């Protein structure tokens, strides 16, 4: 799934594969409707990991894979306590 991330007021191309949407955000299949619902449900943590990835690569476009949501320092819920 492709989307645009604003960086310093400029659009940067980004994408997220089906795998993290299934693994981390509840998509029950790779059908577009299930992926879109999972993306909507995970919008804030996806944006957080996307922003961190763009920061780390110097402002270039990114493709978010499932592993990024498990990498130390990239977890979408870091700093949040239960």
């Amino acid at each position: 799934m492709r989307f645009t991330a604003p960086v310093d007021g400029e659009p940067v191309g980004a994408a997220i594969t089906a795998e993290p949407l299934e693994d981390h955000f509840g998509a029950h299949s790779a059908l577009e409707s299930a992926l879109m619902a999972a993306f909507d449900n995970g919008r804030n943590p996806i944006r957080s990991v996307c922003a961190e990835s763009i920061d780390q690569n110097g402002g270039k476009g990114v493709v978010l894979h499932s592993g990024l949501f498990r990498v130390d320092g990239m977890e979408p819920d870091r700093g949040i306590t239960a």
Side-chain angles (χ1 to χ4, degrees):
M1 171 178 295
R2 294 181 191 276
F3 59 99
T4 302
V7 176
D8 297 329
E10 297 295 324
V12 174
I16 186 168
T17 64
E19 183 183 33
L21 294 171
E22 293 171 333
D23 291 349
H24 302 284
F25 302 107
H28 299 292
S29 74
L31 293 174
E32 183 178 357
S33 60
L35 297 176
M36 288 294 294
F39 183 86
D40 286 341
N41 289 336
R43 185 173 302 275
N44 289 335
I46 291 167
R47 283 183 176 176
S48 176
V49 169
C50 182
E52 186 67 27
S53 296
I54 290 171
D55 284 347
Q56 288 183 5
N57 78 8
K60 298 177 185 143
V62 295
V63 177
L64 305 176
H65 297 276
S66 195
L68 284 175
F69 293 87
R70 293 187 294 262
V71 173
D72 188 36
M74 297 282 279
E75 298 90 355
D77 61 351
R78 67 181 182 268
I80 298 173
T81 57

